[in-house]
Amino acid sequence: MTDKILTQHFGLENLFKIDVYLENKGYEAAKKALTDMKADEILEEVKAANLRGRGGAGFPAGVKWGFVPKDIEKPKYLCVNADEGEPGTFKDRYIMTHNPHLLIEGIIITSFCVGIHTAFIYIRGEYEAVALRLEQAISEAYDKDFLGESILGTGFKLDVYVHRGAGAYICGEETALLESLEGKRGNPRLKPPFPASVGLFGCPTVINNVETVSNIPSIILNGAAWFCQVGLPKDGGTRIFGVSGMVKKPGIYELPVGTNLKEIIIKHAGGMMEGKKLKAVIPGGMSAPILTAEEIDISMDFDSLVEAKSMLGSAAIIVIDEETSMLDVLRRVTKFYSHESCGQCTPCRIGNSWINKIVKRMADGNGKREDLDKIIQLANNMMGKTLCPLGDAAAMPVLSIIQKFRKELESYIPLGN
Amino acid sequence: MSPELTDQTKKKIEEIASRYASKEAALLPVLHLVQHEKGFISQQEEKQVAHLLNIKPIKVKEVVTFYTMFNQKEVGKYHIQVCSNLSCSLLGSESLIDHLKNKLGIEIGETTSDKKFTLMTVECLGACEQAPCMMINFDYFGNLDKEKIDNILDNLE
């Protein structure tokens, strides 16, 4: 059996059409789940698979579903997070464009397991073409009785809608996503209560990333043991690694969880561009602390990256070469977070714009000796001191870049300043 | 003052609103619809949308000003948005932005006098494998260099 779960059939022409999907075992997992399995059995299987959230946080999907109260009068909702805003990340676009029915099938099984009858796919606004493709696929699924009043005659009802965002990174944070879906500014909510108990419209809500949900059909068809064996026992399955930056072959590579980062860059992404030398790698989207060239001999799984004081995040790998100035990287990183802070928490709103102003001044050649320590102080003042993880997400790359490239950064400060 | 929304748009708005437990939740999809019809969202449209969804106009303004994709003023026929985030800047997006500024004779955020082009920079578009990349209206263009940009722009009517 191939080790590819999500991109296995990507080579097929018109995979996005339901007929082609059906010819390749499409919707068989949904049939199995809805006709041969009880909700509890599905939940146990997904828990045993150790499917960890692919959006970035790595929370086990089965455990998350288990938090939803069972006997409750209120409706329950599924929100699929297709906001994909973490810089460097583009994997969900590939799944939704090439294999939209895999996502829909995952939505059906997830909803059946948790007792959900309405699901929303919250997709970033820029992906208009992708949203249209999803809507087309959803309409095909209704026509073939995979969605609607009584799916495959089982009496299980499910409606799925595509909901477009409008260009705000913060809406990838799950409670900001809920606010946005309710028609408001994307200001994250205070937790607890967690969305599993109080989510969309005050009702229990499951929020899972596109890639996470798309893994469900294979777990149902092939079993949790198989899924763990593809990846690692505590972190099952594959990841779609998105490689960008100074490599010969940027793109997506679906590989088992635990594949070595060096191997991904050199073997799969073709190594460095002609004449370029590796300087640093961001291993899990821009929020992930940076790794130096010496640190990339590492297993790409959640726990190994935490041990290396970085994170796997969305598995988006950004490769930086020797000629790139780390001050330039710092400028880009800090500009992004100062732009995307929602403004709700003072440490993040003020901290990010202040840091960005200092970095810009340094980039203009007017850095001062005390600047780097000031930035560290501001970043530390954001860590753990905001409602949502954006504060940490902004502080982590900044702190790691200064820690690992301090000498270089100091070299840009004019003597005597 | 811009004319009323068409009956067709109003009907579509009702249909979208029926998907949600609260009418207000239809705000983002409805604003996309209005912008698609009008090109941008003026104060007049904010009021109309507020009325149709039975919410206060200030609620609509809050949302229009929060989300960068909603245009608060008129943009050109072709809205060029160049990604300036990390992967794209590693591969030279800054020199491409300078090239576009020179070619169009405008700064970032401005529209050409014939109202054909508006130039903006954006954060990550989610197409880093094609860096440097840009969007023109909703079409993505990747692996850009100056010649490619010239070709794309010269072929736009």
Side-chain angles (χ1 to χ4, degrees), chain A residues 93 124 163 165 167 184 244 332, chain B residues 20 67-68 84 87 124 126 129:
Chain A
R93 198 187 87 234
R124 60 178 298 175
H163 186 105
K184 301 170 198 158
S244 65
R332 275 304 325 152
Chain B
Y20 307 94
Y67 295 92
T68 52
S84 63
S87 296
C124 190
E129 84 282 22

Side-chain angles (χ1 to χ4, degrees), chain B residues 33-84:
Chain B
L33 205 66
V34 172
Q35 181 159 298
H36 186 75
E37 188 178 310
K38 303 275 183 181
F40 70 109
I41 296 160
S42 68
Q43 212 151 357
Q44 177 68 17
E45 271 96 37
E46 286 176 10
K47 280 185 192 157
Q48 288 184 41
V49 168
H51 178 71
L52 284 166
L53 296 180
N54 205 14
I55 51 180
K56 290 194 175 121
I58 185 67
K59 288 276 173 194
V60 181
K61 184 168 276 312
E62 275 185 7
V63 164
V64 170
T65 53
F66 184 83
Y67 295 92
T68 52
M69 281 181 70
F70 294 130
N71 305 321
Q72 295 166 67
K73 57 179 188 184
E74 194 174 4
V75 294
K77 185 178 178 191
Y78 298 105
H79 189 187
I80 305 172
Q81 304 188 72
V82 189
C83 175
S84 63

Side-chain angles (χ1 to χ4, degrees), chain A residues 54 89 92 98 125 143 146 150 218 246 262 285 316:
Chain A
R54 268 45 173 165
T89 316
D92 295 336
H98 294 278
D143 287 346
F146 291 110
S150 173
S218 74
M246 309 307 277
K262 200 171 180 175

